[in-house]
Amino acid sequence: MALLDVENLRMYYEIMRGEVKAVDNVSFQVDTKESLGLAGESGCGKTSAALSILKLLPWNGKIVGGAIRLGGEDIVKMKDSEFRNKIRWKRISMIFQGAMNALHPTYTVGHQITEAILKHEVVSKREANERATKLIELVGMESERVKRYPHELSGGMKQRAVTAMALACNPDLVIADEPTTALDVIVQAQVLKVMKELKSRLDISMIVISHDLSLISEICDKSAIMYAGRIAEYGDVVHIYKEALHPYTEKLITAFPSVIGPKTELSSIPGFPPDLLRPPPGCRFHPRCPYAMEICCKKEPSLMEVESKDHFVACHLHGGEKK
Ligand code: SF4
């Protein structure tokens, strides 16, 4: 049984003009000690899927269908109070986007980590302080940094501090939302190294949300490429990046420079992701797809297993229907 099994998840936002289908029939699994990368452009539903798993949706966001099973138990059906006491922080925690804003400016980072431990576990303050110091060391900072305020830390250190905070209660699953965005490339490399070390040293599973495919290919075992609230391609990270089948994945890969591959011209994807209030009929990528066929505007492709085991793609080019 997978640690996390998301099945046919649908999450919509109610706005004045109607329902925004931010996550529309999305399924994926994360096994114990496995890491999944959720990739795609902004507005494709990656963060909304993650916030659904943590039940941290804004007032106008609602899970309208599907299941999110953690160790077999459907957390969608769980009462908020039960979820807060049993799951959030203890079993699933999150490294939020933008470490600069995720820390309270008037408390030391040690205080903030200790607070998370004391809030969710029955331990003495001394024990919580000791654990906070160990966590700070675990993410590669000197122990004395626990006494520092966020403004006394660099961007990379703040990112490490929020990572330490996410690990405060020894969760089974950590969701990292754009962990390297807004950091310069040197600091990105340091954060990436810390995440890789944590993955190999701790028995945790991870969901890494990023538009940076190179980050996902470095630290994830498998990947789900999201487009317009749906999964376009899903499978083993090596298969996806070496033999991308969906035209959207192909375009995303060529939009990023490769350090080890031959020099190629970067290409951008023409157009924008669709308005999810009124997504286009058929394949949602068809207005931007260079291979679009007649059937693509009429019939939505299903996510189907292709070629190798555990590689799925939603595209008529690989689903047997071409016209
Ligand atoms: Fe392109 Fe058609 Fe495949 Fe959609 S289904 S990605 S429009 S070829």
Side-chain angles (χ1 to χ4, degrees):
M1 185 200 300
L3 172 71
L4 181 80
D5 181 8
V6 175
E7 189 183 358
N8 301 329
L9 179 66
R10 285 182 291 128
M11 197 290 283
Y12 298 168
Y13 293 106
E14 284 281 348
I15 62 167
M16 296 276 274
R17 291 184 295 134
E19 273 177 339
V20 177
K21 296 174 179 169
V23 180
D24 203 6
N25 232 2
V26 161
S27 302
F28 56 78
Q29 288 85 36
V30 185
D31 287 330
T32 305
K33 300 189 205 175
E34 187 178 55
S35 51
L36 167 80
L38 283 182
E41 291 164 287
S42 298
C44 284
K46 313 181 295 291
T47 299
S48 294
L51 294 178
S52 304
I53 295 168
L54 266 169
K55 288 195 171 214
L56 284 177
L57 296 170
W59 64 270
N60 63 340
K62 216 158 104 186
I63 295 175
V64 296
I68 302 172
R69 293 183 203 92
L70 182 73
E73 188 176 13
D74 190 355
I75 55 180
V76 172
K77 293 183 183 145
M78 208 177 259
K79 281 190 184 147
D80 283 353
S81 55
E82 190 184 359
F83 185 85
R84 210 167 37 239
N85 293 333
K86 275 173 55 182
I87 309 290
R88 198 179 294 140
W89 285 89
K90 282 185 176 175
R91 299 204 58 202
I92 312 177
S93 69
M94 187 157 183
I95 302 170
F96 288 95
Q97 208 176 110
M100 322 285 173
N101 306 323
L103 290 164
H104 198 296
T106 63
Y107 293 109
T108 63
V109 293
H111 176 97
Q112 294 180 61
I113 298 170
T114 305
E115 188 185 26
I117 298 169
L118 291 172
K119 193 97 186 149
H120 294 91
E121 291 184 31
V122 185
V123 292
S124 67
K125 195 161 182 212
R126 188 172 157 203
E127 194 182 327
N129 284 336
E130 284 170 6
R131 271 172 57 185
T133 306
K134 279 192 186 138
L135 284 165
I136 282 291
E137 288 171 346
L138 185 71
V139 295
M141 291 204 282
E142 297 102 8
S143 53
E144 69 88 21
R145 302 278 182 196
V146 289
K147 299 180 198 138
R148 301 286 168 200
Y149 289 89
H151 74 269
E152 296 177 293
L153 302 177
S154 67
M157 285 181 189
K158 284 193 195 98
Q159 186 62 49
R160 288 174 196 223
V162 292
T163 305
M165 210 188 295
L167 299 171
C169 300
N170 300 316
D172 302 316
L173 173 71
V174 174
I175 302 174
D177 191 1
E178 301 279 4
T180 58
T181 302
L183 301 174
D184 65 55
V185 282
I186 308 277
V187 181
Q188 277 186 18
Q190 291 167 355
V191 171
L192 186 63
K193 188 166 168 253
V194 168
M195 292 187 76
K196 278 167 98 170
E197 279 172 11
L198 291 176
K199 192 186 157 211
S200 62
R201 283 170 62 182
L202 307 175
D203 287 346
I204 50 169
S205 304
M206 289 171 109
I207 294 179
V208 180
I209 299 169
S210 183
H211 61 276
D212 183 348
L213 299 189
S214 47
L215 170 84
I216 285 180
S217 63
E218 281 273 345
I219 53 176
C220 295
D221 304 302
K222 60 187 190 185
S223 179
I225 309 291
M226 287 192 73
Y227 184 75
R230 294 202 170 148
I231 290 185
E233 192 161 358
Y234 175 66
D236 182 280
V237 83
V238 178
H239 282 144
I240 290 194
Y241 294 108
K242 286 204 170 154
E243 301 152 35
L245 296 173
H246 198 284
Y248 180 59
T249 316
E250 204 180 273
K251 288 274 176 196
L252 277 183
I253 291 171
T254 54
F256 276 87
S258 164
V259 178
I260 48 168
K263 282 185 192 168
T264 50
E265 206 167 308
L266 297 183
S267 67
S268 60
I269 309 174
F272 299 96
D275 179 355
L276 294 180
L277 263 177
R278 279 169 214 85
C283 171
R284 292 182 177 184
F285 189 56
H286 86 256
R288 305 171 76 188
C289 180
Y291 311 108
M293 304 167 284
E294 206 184 315
I295 191 172
C296 303
C297 319
K298 296 178 190 155
K299 191 171 175 212
E300 190 194 329
S302 326
L303 196 64
M304 291 172 71
E305 192 166 13
V306 284
E307 291 179 4
S308 52
K309 201 173 168 285
D310 291 336
H311 190 173
F312 298 80
V313 65
C315 173
H316 290 307
L317 287 174
H318 303 283
E321 285 191 76
K322 300 181 184 69
K323 205 173 167 192

